[in-house]
Amino acid sequence: MSKGSNIVHLLGSATGSVRDNLATTVVTALTVGFSLAILAQFLFVFINLDAAVSTWGDRTHIVVYIKDTAMRGPGSIERIKGASLAVPGIKSVAYISKDDAYAELKAGMKGHEAVLAGVDAGALPASIELRLDPEYMEGAKAAGVVERFKKMDWAEEVQYSQEWVEKFAAFLRFFEVAAFGAGIFLVGVTVFIVSNTVRLTVYARQDEIEIMSLVGATDNYIKLPFFVEGVLQGLIGGLLAVFIIYAGRWALLSRMPVYLRFVVDVPVSWTMAVAAVFAFGIVLGAAGSLLSTSRFLKSC
Amino acid sequence: MSKGSNIVHLLGSATGSVRDNLATTVVTALTVGFSLAILAQFLFVFINLDAAVSTWGDRTHIVVYIKDTAMRGPGSIERIKGASLAVPGIKSVAYISKDDAYAELKAGMKGHEAVLAGVDAGALPASIELRLDPEYMEGAKAAGVVERFKKMDWAEEVQYSQEWVEKFAAFLRFFEVAAFGAGIFLVGVTVFIVSNTVRLTVYARQDEIEIMSLVGATDNYIKLPFFVEGVLQGLIGGLLAVFIIYAGRWALLSRMPVYLRFVVDVPVSWTMAVAAVFAFGIVLGAAGSLLSTSRFLKSC
Amino acid sequence: MKGSRPVFPDYRGRPRLPALRRAQSVMIQLFHVYKTFEGAGTALHDVTLKVAKGEFVFITGPSGAGKSTLLNIMFGSEAPTGGQLIIDGRNYIKIPRSDVPYLRRRIGFVFQDFKLLHDKTVFDNVALALRVMGVETGELKKRVARALSYVRLQHRANFKVETLSGGEQQRVAIARAVVKEPAIILADEPTGNLDPHLSLETIELFKEVNNKGTTVVVATHDQGLIDRFAKRAIVLEQGRVVSG
Amino acid sequence: MKGSRPVFPDYRGRPRLPALRRAQSVMIQLFHVYKTFEGAGTALHDVTLKVAKGEFVFITGPSGAGKSTLLNIMFGSEAPTGGQLIIDGRNYIKIPRSDVPYLRRRIGFVFQDFKLLHDKTVFDNVALALRVMGVETGELKKRVARALSYVRLQHRANFKVETLSGGEQQRVAIARAVVKEPAIILADEPTGNLDPHLSLETIELFKEVNNKGTTVVVATHDQGLIDRFAKRAIVLEQGRVVSG
Ligand SMILES: Nc1ncnc2c1ncn2[C@@H]1O[C@H](COP(=O)(O)OP(=O)(O)OP(=O)(O)O)[C@@H](O)[C@H]1O
Ligand SMILES: Nc1ncnc2c1ncn2[C@@H]1O[C@H](COP(=O)(O)OP(=O)(O)OP(=O)(O)O)[C@@H](O)[C@H]1O
Ligand SMILES: [Mg+2]
Ligand SMILES: [Mg+2]
């Protein structure tokens, strides 16, 4: 009656039980797998879109046109850049010379080049482009930054597409809330479906539980096979989920326009993602079976 | 032993059975509801995005700049428009006069107005904007249309962003395939989870089925309570799904930037959508229970 | 339900086949019936027997002799591996699956393991046998009450079966068999959980039903009962009929 | 497993309480035990009785008298509504839930409805009682084989229980109770599905186990057995002890 042989027996009985209930084990595993796959793919798309949105966010900027008079004298550009960076909320500063501006305009006018025939490069003002820290993109804060630049003596005009930033910030906030809500909902549904499936499995085997208890099995001894089964279901489910995700990704990538591919890309390392899906599957299966058996045993 | 009283008894026994198995009925109904809600919301987003994508598709167009010489003489513009519309694949024609073109350019140069100081409205060419039928947006066909316009004697230059259209057509095709695949997958998962839940419910009541068969119940008599239960589960599930969709839509709309709202809008009438979700729920529940009981009875 | 013999409505209302008229005095007939279970050997070996209409027969023999198997074959819930089986003029072996329920309605079976619905009441368990036949509520209540009083369980009608004692459950199973007023009663060890007094009462009940025309076959270990009621007894041993 | 009495490992290995030493000759003791079921009246009414260590007692009485309820209370699977219960020197009423399994390992119970796992083999059903105790495979196999041969079921070891006859199933239940070599055997109607010969053999088996020191309590309707074995019989009627 040593502890060791006890555990061997427990595990033996557990795997035996899995063998006996293969059909339900497989069915539950499939449910776990499908649920997990949907959840995981949702998370990937979410994380990727979130990253993309942040990148796009980087592209909003404030343009400050510089008075021609302020550009005279050596080092004046460096001074302007330094002063700009010192303003709180400014992430980066880029200088666009008169020549750069002309080249840019010309590129933007492709097909209408004739229009620019009489225009001289010197006619355009030089400018600096400022990028904001994300937390400064919000309406009031951004306006404050713009005000500070308007007061600079070298600034001729400050351009900032207030409306776009507000829209964008609202979108970001909305997207975060919506995706978070949807994620919670999906996790809830997955947990619910899995625990429900396990509950029905336990229910179908209540005779077995009752009889084991009557011949003197401890609660833990009774729970173990269900636990092992739950873990196994989670494992198989996780494996299935990984397979579905991988297959789905392959099917998508082979057809998807290149610039959209990032949406289905796995954001973290492949190994990490597989491990996470596995772990969640196992936790789901284990928790589901433990909860169901405990509830059932208490009513015995 | 009249047929009528027989049916009354059958239905009586069926509702009695639902009462006795309230817990599992509710649990299955919840599963159906969650699955349906996810499926329906996915379908709505899909239909809406699909519609949006078609609209955007409308915005790609061919621009044909018109030779100044071709514009002399009364009715010449009407002739050009008529000739353009006659080309197969052309959906609509819009004429942009020299003045329109100048106004457009000026609007596009906001902040750089100085550049246009020396430019005269007459310097820009007049043009027509052509929209293509969707089936002509594909690479080779679009190129054919462009060729035909290049040969027109009044055409100075034809602009058509070949690359964008190809990308866009690929995206459309990809989106259709991907969404179709995802939809099939979701329907499959929903049917699987529901039928699995019903199967386990039937399994938990196999004694009842066996005993009814032993005392002389016909197969249909045995199936009816499960059928009624399935329909009821589908109904409750459908109700829940409608509620989740409605609540989710409300939560999203109250926070969502206006220009994104179309994504969660119900594309068909609200009544139609509710009816469809209901109908699918009922079909799922009924089919699930019938399949499971039939399979079980056959093995009796 | 019309006619003078309402308790035994004819099998699905079909007229009996004229060719089988002469055989009508025989209710159950087995010809060279075999039953083997994969890997478990032979449960029934060349069993040929005849039970007349309205007869009362005991089947006895040691544990595992094949008594339950024989009754199950008569009930159509187990198919013989060989031989022929005629119940009330119909060849059981060739009956389509969809007709089986109608045959079962004419046979009341008391299962050795009762086969009751444990989470349903006594009333519902007994009523089930009538409900599946579409008997109307009024008549159903009357007949169930009568059957429960036969087995002295009126006072337990609204209790769930799982709260009953072993003997009480066995009596519910008996009530469910007799409530149908069937053409045949097959009872498998119906007194195993009953005290001597109730055992006698149960067999008396079967005799009463038998006097009204029902054919009764009772499998039992209780030699005392067989001796006391002095009815024909078929003795099985290792799947063979050794006497009777 | 060491020591000269390996068959009755002490309850969780704890030393017996010295104060209870004197009571050791009493195995089961009930003081004014009542059991009422909501709405169903009284199943046991003021039952006071004592079963000595190593005694062999029959419990008898009509169907519904309370025999099973009494055994279930002795087994701790049903709690009395009133009174005290002492098994082997421990007050059963106050035992924490987590100790119940260890007490059940010392009691072999033959349930009236067998409580077997139908889709498991005979071997697995009997072995389960040892497996939950952590007995090693070698010894387990030996002991299960021995128990099955006691009840004449060696040849059925690898059959699923659902394929067995009623009497065979009952013997599996008996084998599962004796295989534990328990301190107490509680058997509820253990011969209801057995022919007279096997019934005698079963009681002989219990007597043999009893001779080795096990306390045996058998609930039965079979007056013949009680007469034949001339052991003490407690007679219950409507929940009261009327003799014994
Ligand atoms: N489904 C089955 N598979 C294998 N063997 C079976 C099956 N059903 C019955 N048997 C075997 O057939 C034999 C006869 O069984 P049966 O139940 O008819 O016996 P019985 O006479 O009713 O016994 P008892 O008095 O114990 O109820 C038994 O040995 C049993 O193990
Ligand atoms: N859980 C319960 N709820 C309600 N009544 C119960 C419950 N369990 C037992 N009873 C009732 O208590 C009485 C005694 O039951 P018990 O099972 O002890 O009788 P018994 O002597 O074993 O009878 P039998 O010989 O028929 O097995 C019976 O009338 C029974 O209906
Ligand atoms: Mg039998
Ligand atoms: Mg009892």
Side-chain angles (χ1 to χ4, degrees), chain A residues 24 27 30-31 38 65 105 109 115 119 124 159 171 174 192 196 200 203-204 252 256 259-260, chain B residues 24 27 30-31 65 105 109 111-112 115 119 124 171 174 178 186 192 196 200 203-204 256 259-260:
Chain A
T24 36
V27 163
L30 288 176
T31 308
I38 294 181
Y65 294 99
L105 179 64
M109 303 281 287
V115 182
V119 180
L124 294 174
Q159 270 188 12
F171 174 74
F174 159 75
F192 173 81
N196 182 18
L200 287 172
Y203 184 72
L252 288 179
M256 208 170 202
Y259 61 96
L260 266 180
Chain B
T24 36
V27 163
L30 288 176
T31 308
Y65 294 98
L105 178 64
M109 301 282 286
H112 298 284
V115 182
V119 181
L124 295 175
F171 174 74
F174 159 76
L186 267 180
F192 173 81
N196 180 18
L200 286 172
Y203 184 72
M256 209 169 203
Y259 61 95
L260 266 180

Short mmCIF file of all heavy atoms in Angstrom, two decimals, chain A residues 24 27 30-31 38 65 105 109 115 119 124 159 171 174 192 196 200 203-204 252 256 259-260, chain B residues 24 27 30-31 65 105 109 111-112 115 119 124 171 174 178 186 192 196 200 203-204 256 259-260:
data_model
loop_
_atom_site.label_atom_id
_atom_site.label_comp_id
_atom_site.label_asym_id
_atom_site.label_seq_id
_atom_site.Cartn_x
_atom_site.Cartn_y
_atom_site.Cartn_z
N THR A 24 -16.72 9.81 -26.18
CA THR A 24 -17.01 11.12 -25.58
C THR A 24 -15.74 11.94 -25.42
O THR A 24 -15.78 13.16 -25.58
CB THR A 24 -17.70 10.97 -24.22
OG1 THR A 24 -17.19 9.85 -23.55
CG2 THR A 24 -19.20 10.83 -24.39
N VAL A 27 -15.18 13.50 -28.75
CA VAL A 27 -16.18 14.53 -29.05
C VAL A 27 -15.89 15.80 -28.25
O VAL A 27 -15.92 16.91 -28.78
CB VAL A 27 -17.59 13.98 -28.76
CG1 VAL A 27 -18.59 15.12 -28.65
CG2 VAL A 27 -18.01 13.03 -29.85
N LEU A 30 -12.89 17.54 -29.63
CA LEU A 30 -13.20 18.28 -30.86
C LEU A 30 -13.85 19.62 -30.52
O LEU A 30 -13.52 20.65 -31.10
CB LEU A 30 -14.14 17.47 -31.76
CG LEU A 30 -13.52 16.25 -32.45
CD1 LEU A 30 -14.57 15.48 -33.22
CD2 LEU A 30 -12.39 16.69 -33.37
N THR A 31 -14.77 19.59 -29.57
CA THR A 31 -15.43 20.83 -29.17
C THR A 31 -14.41 21.83 -28.65
O THR A 31 -14.39 23.00 -29.03
CB THR A 31 -16.48 20.54 -28.08
OG1 THR A 31 -17.34 19.51 -28.52
CG2 THR A 31 -17.29 21.78 -27.75
N ILE A 38 -11.21 29.11 -32.94
CA ILE A 38 -11.89 30.37 -33.21
C ILE A 38 -11.33 31.46 -32.31
O ILE A 38 -10.99 32.56 -32.76
CB ILE A 38 -13.41 30.22 -32.97
CG1 ILE A 38 -14.00 29.25 -33.99
CG2 ILE A 38 -14.11 31.57 -33.05
CD1 ILE A 38 -15.49 29.07 -33.85
N TYR A 65 5.23 75.29 -40.85
CA TYR A 65 5.96 75.98 -41.93
C TYR A 65 6.86 77.04 -41.31
O TYR A 65 6.45 77.75 -40.38
CB TYR A 65 4.98 76.60 -42.93
CG TYR A 65 4.21 75.53 -43.67
CD1 TYR A 65 2.93 75.18 -43.28
CD2 TYR A 65 4.80 74.87 -44.75
CE1 TYR A 65 2.24 74.17 -43.93
CE2 TYR A 65 4.12 73.86 -45.40
CZ TYR A 65 2.84 73.51 -44.99
OH TYR A 65 2.19 72.51 -45.64
N LEU A 105 5.82 67.75 -53.94
CA LEU A 105 4.66 68.28 -54.66
C LEU A 105 4.62 67.74 -56.08
O LEU A 105 3.57 67.30 -56.56
CB LEU A 105 4.73 69.82 -54.69
CG LEU A 105 3.59 70.51 -55.45
CD1 LEU A 105 2.26 70.23 -54.75
CD2 LEU A 105 3.83 72.01 -55.56
N MET A 109 1.79 65.42 -58.03
CA MET A 109 1.08 65.99 -59.18
C MET A 109 1.28 65.17 -60.44
O MET A 109 0.97 65.64 -61.53
CB MET A 109 1.56 67.42 -59.44
CG MET A 109 1.40 68.36 -58.27
SD MET A 109 -0.29 68.93 -58.12
CE MET A 109 -0.35 70.08 -59.51
N VAL A 115 1.19 71.92 -64.92
CA VAL A 115 0.77 72.99 -64.01
C VAL A 115 1.95 73.65 -63.33
O VAL A 115 1.95 74.85 -63.05
CB VAL A 115 -0.18 72.42 -62.95
CG1 VAL A 115 -0.67 73.51 -62.01
CG2 VAL A 115 -1.34 71.69 -63.61
N VAL A 119 6.33 77.33 -61.75
CA VAL A 119 6.58 77.41 -60.31
C VAL A 119 8.05 77.15 -60.02
O VAL A 119 8.63 76.20 -60.53
CB VAL A 119 5.70 76.40 -59.56
CG1 VAL A 119 5.97 76.49 -58.06
CG2 VAL A 119 4.23 76.65 -59.86
N LEU A 124 8.02 77.49 -52.43
CA LEU A 124 7.43 76.70 -51.34
C LEU A 124 8.17 76.96 -50.03
O LEU A 124 9.39 77.09 -50.05
CB LEU A 124 7.49 75.21 -51.66
CG LEU A 124 6.64 74.76 -52.85
CD1 LEU A 124 6.91 73.29 -53.14
CD2 LEU A 124 5.17 74.98 -52.57
N GLN A 159 0.03 73.44 -39.29
CA GLN A 159 -1.06 72.63 -39.81
C GLN A 159 -1.21 71.36 -38.99
O GLN A 159 -0.24 70.65 -38.75
CB GLN A 159 -0.78 72.25 -41.27
CG GLN A 159 -1.33 73.26 -42.24
CD GLN A 159 -1.20 72.75 -43.65
OE1 GLN A 159 -0.91 71.58 -43.87
NE2 GLN A 159 -1.38 73.63 -44.59
N PHE A 171 -11.44 55.98 -32.74
CA PHE A 171 -11.41 54.64 -33.31
C PHE A 171 -10.56 53.71 -32.45
O PHE A 171 -10.95 52.59 -32.14
CB PHE A 171 -10.86 54.69 -34.73
CG PHE A 171 -10.68 53.33 -35.32
CD1 PHE A 171 -11.78 52.60 -35.75
CD2 PHE A 171 -9.41 52.77 -35.44
CE1 PHE A 171 -11.62 51.34 -36.28
CE2 PHE A 171 -9.26 51.51 -35.97
CZ PHE A 171 -10.36 50.79 -36.39
N PHE A 174 -12.38 52.92 -29.30
CA PHE A 174 -13.48 52.03 -29.59
C PHE A 174 -12.97 50.62 -29.88
O PHE A 174 -13.47 49.63 -29.36
CB PHE A 174 -14.28 52.50 -30.80
CG PHE A 174 -15.08 51.39 -31.40
CD1 PHE A 174 -16.22 50.94 -30.77
CD2 PHE A 174 -14.66 50.75 -32.56
CE1 PHE A 174 -16.94 49.88 -31.28
CE2 PHE A 174 -15.37 49.69 -33.07
CZ PHE A 174 -16.51 49.26 -32.43
N PHE A 192 -17.82 28.08 -21.33
CA PHE A 192 -19.17 27.57 -21.11
C PHE A 192 -19.39 26.27 -21.89
O PHE A 192 -19.84 25.27 -21.34
CB PHE A 192 -20.20 28.61 -21.54
CG PHE A 192 -21.60 28.08 -21.51
CD1 PHE A 192 -22.29 28.02 -20.32
CD2 PHE A 192 -22.20 27.63 -22.66
CE1 PHE A 192 -23.57 27.51 -20.28
CE2 PHE A 192 -23.49 27.12 -22.63
CZ PHE A 192 -24.17 27.07 -21.44
N ASN A 196 -19.79 22.69 -20.15
CA ASN A 196 -21.08 22.06 -20.38
C ASN A 196 -20.90 20.66 -20.95
O ASN A 196 -21.53 19.70 -20.51
CB ASN A 196 -21.87 22.94 -21.36
CG ASN A 196 -23.24 22.38 -21.62
OD1 ASN A 196 -23.71 21.55 -20.85
ND2 ASN A 196 -23.85 22.81 -22.68
N LEU A 200 -21.93 17.19 -19.05
CA LEU A 200 -22.79 16.13 -19.59
C LEU A 200 -22.05 14.79 -19.57
O LEU A 200 -22.66 13.75 -19.35
CB LEU A 200 -23.25 16.49 -21.00
CG LEU A 200 -24.32 17.59 -21.06
CD1 LEU A 200 -24.57 18.01 -22.50
CD2 LEU A 200 -25.60 17.11 -20.42
N TYR A 203 -22.17 13.58 -16.13
CA TYR A 203 -23.55 13.18 -15.85
C TYR A 203 -23.81 11.78 -16.41
O TYR A 203 -24.45 10.96 -15.78
CB TYR A 203 -24.49 14.19 -16.49
CG TYR A 203 -25.95 13.95 -16.19
CD1 TYR A 203 -26.46 14.19 -14.92
CD2 TYR A 203 -26.80 13.48 -17.17
CE1 TYR A 203 -27.79 13.96 -14.64
CE2 TYR A 203 -28.14 13.25 -16.90
CZ TYR A 203 -28.63 13.48 -15.63
OH TYR A 203 -29.95 13.26 -15.37
N ALA A 204 -23.27 11.54 -17.61
CA ALA A 204 -23.48 10.23 -18.24
C ALA A 204 -22.77 9.13 -17.46
O ALA A 204 -23.05 7.96 -17.64
CB ALA A 204 -22.98 10.26 -19.68
N LEU A 252 -5.31 30.78 -46.22
CA LEU A 252 -5.47 32.22 -46.42
C LEU A 252 -4.26 32.81 -47.14
O LEU A 252 -4.38 33.52 -48.13
CB LEU A 252 -5.67 32.93 -45.09
CG LEU A 252 -7.01 32.70 -44.39
CD1 LEU A 252 -7.04 33.44 -43.07
CD2 LEU A 252 -8.15 33.19 -45.29
N MET A 256 -4.13 35.21 -50.28
CA MET A 256 -4.35 36.55 -49.77
C MET A 256 -3.42 37.55 -50.46
O MET A 256 -2.26 37.26 -50.69
CB MET A 256 -4.01 36.52 -48.29
CG MET A 256 -4.76 37.53 -47.48
SD MET A 256 -4.47 37.15 -45.78
CE MET A 256 -5.88 37.95 -45.06
N TYR A 259 -0.41 42.60 -49.10
CA TYR A 259 -0.51 43.69 -48.12
C TYR A 259 -1.52 43.39 -47.02
O TYR A 259 -1.66 44.14 -46.08
CB TYR A 259 -0.90 44.99 -48.82
CG TYR A 259 -2.23 44.91 -49.52
CD1 TYR A 259 -3.37 45.37 -48.90
CD2 TYR A 259 -2.33 44.36 -50.78
CE1 TYR A 259 -4.60 45.27 -49.52
CE2 TYR A 259 -3.55 44.26 -51.41
CZ TYR A 259 -4.68 44.70 -50.79
OH TYR A 259 -5.88 44.60 -51.41
N LEU A 260 -2.31 42.28 -47.16
CA LEU A 260 -3.28 41.95 -46.12
C LEU A 260 -2.78 40.84 -45.20
O LEU A 260 -3.36 40.55 -44.18
CB LEU A 260 -4.59 41.48 -46.76
CG LEU A 260 -5.67 42.54 -46.98
CD1 LEU A 260 -6.88 41.90 -47.62
CD2 LEU A 260 -6.03 43.22 -45.67
N THR B 24 -30.82 20.44 -18.46
CA THR B 24 -30.10 20.18 -19.70
C THR B 24 -30.70 20.95 -20.86
O THR B 24 -29.99 21.41 -21.73
CB THR B 24 -30.06 18.67 -20.04
OG1 THR B 24 -31.29 18.10 -19.64
CG2 THR B 24 -28.93 17.99 -19.33
N VAL B 27 -29.25 24.36 -20.64
CA VAL B 27 -27.83 24.36 -20.98
C VAL B 27 -27.64 24.24 -22.49
O VAL B 27 -26.86 24.97 -23.10
CB VAL B 27 -27.09 23.23 -20.22
CG1 VAL B 27 -25.75 22.95 -20.86
CG2 VAL B 27 -26.93 23.61 -18.76
N LEU B 30 -28.61 27.43 -24.19
CA LEU B 30 -27.57 28.44 -24.07
C LEU B 30 -26.46 28.21 -25.10
O LEU B 30 -25.99 29.14 -25.75
CB LEU B 30 -26.98 28.44 -22.66
CG LEU B 30 -27.87 28.97 -21.54
CD1 LEU B 30 -27.21 28.83 -20.19
CD2 LEU B 30 -28.22 30.43 -21.80
N THR B 31 -26.07 26.94 -25.25
CA THR B 31 -25.04 26.62 -26.23
C THR B 31 -25.50 27.02 -27.62
O THR B 31 -24.76 27.67 -28.37
CB THR B 31 -24.74 25.11 -26.20
OG1 THR B 31 -24.46 24.73 -24.86
CG2 THR B 31 -23.56 24.78 -27.08
N TYR B 65 -8.17 62.12 -70.60
CA TYR B 65 -8.02 63.56 -70.84
C TYR B 65 -8.36 63.85 -72.29
O TYR B 65 -7.96 63.11 -73.19
CB TYR B 65 -6.59 64.00 -70.51
CG TYR B 65 -6.31 63.86 -69.01
CD1 TYR B 65 -5.65 62.75 -68.51
CD2 TYR B 65 -6.75 64.86 -68.13
CE1 TYR B 65 -5.43 62.63 -67.15
CE2 TYR B 65 -6.54 64.73 -66.78
CZ TYR B 65 -5.88 63.62 -66.29
OH TYR B 65 -5.67 63.50 -64.95
N LEU B 105 -8.16 70.70 -58.18
CA LEU B 105 -6.73 70.81 -57.88
C LEU B 105 -6.51 71.76 -56.73
O LEU B 105 -5.77 71.46 -55.79
CB LEU B 105 -5.98 71.31 -59.12
CG LEU B 105 -4.47 71.51 -58.93
CD1 LEU B 105 -3.79 70.17 -58.63
CD2 LEU B 105 -3.84 72.15 -60.17
N MET B 109 -4.83 71.22 -52.96
CA MET B 109 -3.58 71.88 -52.59
C MET B 109 -3.73 72.77 -51.37
O MET B 109 -2.88 73.61 -51.10
CB MET B 109 -3.12 72.77 -53.77
CG MET B 109 -2.88 72.03 -55.05
SD MET B 109 -1.32 71.17 -55.05
CE MET B 109 -0.22 72.58 -55.26
N GLY B 111 -3.40 74.88 -48.41
CA GLY B 111 -2.17 75.15 -47.68
C GLY B 111 -1.00 75.47 -48.59
O GLY B 111 -0.02 76.05 -48.18
N HIS B 112 -1.11 75.03 -49.82
CA HIS B 112 -0.04 75.34 -50.80
C HIS B 112 -0.56 76.28 -51.89
O HIS B 112 0.01 76.34 -52.96
CB HIS B 112 0.47 74.06 -51.47
CG HIS B 112 1.09 73.10 -50.52
ND1 HIS B 112 2.34 73.28 -49.99
CD2 HIS B 112 0.63 71.94 -50.00
CE1 HIS B 112 2.62 72.28 -49.19
NE2 HIS B 112 1.59 71.45 -49.17
N VAL B 115 1.37 78.18 -54.59
CA VAL B 115 1.97 77.52 -55.75
C VAL B 115 1.17 77.79 -57.02
O VAL B 115 1.72 77.88 -58.12
CB VAL B 115 2.04 76.00 -55.51
CG1 VAL B 115 2.71 75.30 -56.68
CG2 VAL B 115 2.78 75.71 -54.22
N VAL B 119 -0.85 79.92 -62.17
CA VAL B 119 -1.48 78.91 -63.02
C VAL B 119 -2.86 79.38 -63.43
O VAL B 119 -3.66 79.83 -62.60
CB VAL B 119 -1.57 77.56 -62.29
CG1 VAL B 119 -2.21 76.51 -63.19
CG2 VAL B 119 -0.19 77.11 -61.83
N LEU B 124 -5.26 73.41 -67.43
CA LEU B 124 -5.59 72.00 -67.15
C LEU B 124 -6.48 71.44 -68.25
O LEU B 124 -7.35 72.13 -68.75
CB LEU B 124 -6.31 71.86 -65.81
CG LEU B 124 -5.49 72.23 -64.57
CD1 LEU B 124 -6.38 72.16 -63.32
CD2 LEU B 124 -4.30 71.30 -64.43
N PHE B 171 -8.27 41.29 -54.00
CA PHE B 171 -8.80 41.38 -52.64
C PHE B 171 -10.25 40.92 -52.61
O PHE B 171 -10.65 40.15 -51.73
CB PHE B 171 -8.72 42.82 -52.14
CG PHE B 171 -9.38 43.00 -50.80
CD1 PHE B 171 -8.78 42.53 -49.66
CD2 PHE B 171 -10.61 43.63 -50.71
CE1 PHE B 171 -9.39 42.69 -48.43
CE2 PHE B 171 -11.23 43.78 -49.48
CZ PHE B 171 -10.62 43.32 -48.34
N PHE B 174 -10.34 37.22 -52.94
CA PHE B 174 -9.86 36.60 -51.72
C PHE B 174 -10.89 36.71 -50.61
O PHE B 174 -11.19 35.77 -49.91
CB PHE B 174 -8.57 37.25 -51.23
CG PHE B 174 -8.33 37.00 -49.78
CD1 PHE B 174 -7.89 35.77 -49.36
CD2 PHE B 174 -8.62 37.98 -48.84
CE1 PHE B 174 -7.72 35.51 -48.02
CE2 PHE B 174 -8.46 37.72 -47.50
CZ PHE B 174 -8.01 36.49 -47.09
N ALA B 178 -12.41 33.64 -48.59
CA ALA B 178 -12.09 33.53 -47.16
C ALA B 178 -13.36 33.59 -46.32
O ALA B 178 -13.57 32.77 -45.42
CB ALA B 178 -11.14 34.65 -46.75
N LEU B 186 -17.81 28.06 -39.53
CA LEU B 186 -18.63 28.44 -38.37
C LEU B 186 -19.93 27.65 -38.32
O LEU B 186 -20.34 27.19 -37.26
CB LEU B 186 -18.93 29.93 -38.42
CG LEU B 186 -17.97 30.83 -37.66
CD1 LEU B 186 -18.39 32.27 -37.79
CD2 LEU B 186 -17.92 30.43 -36.19
N PHE B 192 -21.92 21.11 -35.17
CA PHE B 192 -21.21 20.09 -34.41
C PHE B 192 -21.45 20.24 -32.92
O PHE B 192 -21.81 19.28 -32.23
CB PHE B 192 -19.71 20.18 -34.70
CG PHE B 192 -18.90 19.27 -33.83
CD1 PHE B 192 -18.79 17.93 -34.13
CD2 PHE B 192 -18.28 19.76 -32.70
CE1 PHE B 192 -18.07 17.10 -33.32
CE2 PHE B 192 -17.56 18.93 -31.87
CZ PHE B 192 -17.45 17.59 -32.19
N ASN B 196 -23.62 17.65 -30.77
CA ASN B 196 -22.87 16.97 -29.73
C ASN B 196 -23.55 17.13 -28.39
O ASN B 196 -23.71 16.17 -27.62
CB ASN B 196 -21.46 17.58 -29.68
CG ASN B 196 -20.61 16.92 -28.63
OD1 ASN B 196 -20.93 15.83 -28.18
ND2 ASN B 196 -19.55 17.59 -28.25
N LEU B 200 -25.21 14.07 -26.20
CA LEU B 200 -24.92 13.74 -24.80
C LEU B 200 -26.20 13.74 -23.97
O LEU B 200 -26.34 12.95 -23.05
CB LEU B 200 -23.90 14.73 -24.23
CG LEU B 200 -22.47 14.54 -24.73
CD1 LEU B 200 -21.58 15.67 -24.25
CD2 LEU B 200 -21.91 13.21 -24.24
N TYR B 203 -27.87 10.58 -24.69
CA TYR B 203 -27.09 9.52 -24.06
C TYR B 203 -27.43 9.43 -22.58
O TYR B 203 -27.57 8.34 -22.03
CB TYR B 203 -25.61 9.83 -24.26
CG TYR B 203 -24.69 8.76 -23.74
CD1 TYR B 203 -24.58 7.55 -24.40
CD2 TYR B 203 -23.94 8.97 -22.60
CE1 TYR B 203 -23.74 6.56 -23.93
CE2 TYR B 203 -23.09 8.00 -22.11
CZ TYR B 203 -23.00 6.80 -22.78
OH TYR B 203 -22.16 5.83 -22.30
N ALA B 204 -27.60 10.60 -21.94
CA ALA B 204 -27.92 10.62 -20.52
C ALA B 204 -29.31 10.05 -20.26
O ALA B 204 -29.64 9.69 -19.14
CB ALA B 204 -27.82 12.04 -19.97
N MET B 256 -19.17 53.50 -31.10
CA MET B 256 -18.46 53.34 -32.35
C MET B 256 -18.40 54.66 -33.12
O MET B 256 -19.39 55.39 -33.15
CB MET B 256 -19.23 52.33 -33.18
CG MET B 256 -18.37 51.56 -34.11
SD MET B 256 -19.37 50.23 -34.77
CE MET B 256 -18.09 49.11 -35.25
N TYR B 259 -18.49 56.54 -38.85
CA TYR B 259 -18.14 55.99 -40.17
C TYR B 259 -17.89 54.49 -40.13
O TYR B 259 -17.69 53.86 -41.15
CB TYR B 259 -16.91 56.71 -40.73
CG TYR B 259 -15.69 56.55 -39.86
CD1 TYR B 259 -14.76 55.56 -40.11
CD2 TYR B 259 -15.49 57.38 -38.77
CE1 TYR B 259 -13.67 55.39 -39.30
CE2 TYR B 259 -14.41 57.21 -37.95
CZ TYR B 259 -13.50 56.22 -38.22
OH TYR B 259 -12.43 56.07 -37.40
N LEU B 260 -17.84 53.87 -38.91
CA LEU B 260 -17.60 52.43 -38.82
C LEU B 260 -18.89 51.66 -38.56
O LEU B 260 -18.94 50.45 -38.63
CB LEU B 260 -16.62 52.13 -37.69
CG LEU B 260 -15.15 52.02 -38.08
CD1 LEU B 260 -14.32 51.72 -36.86
CD2 LEU B 260 -14.95 50.94 -39.14
#
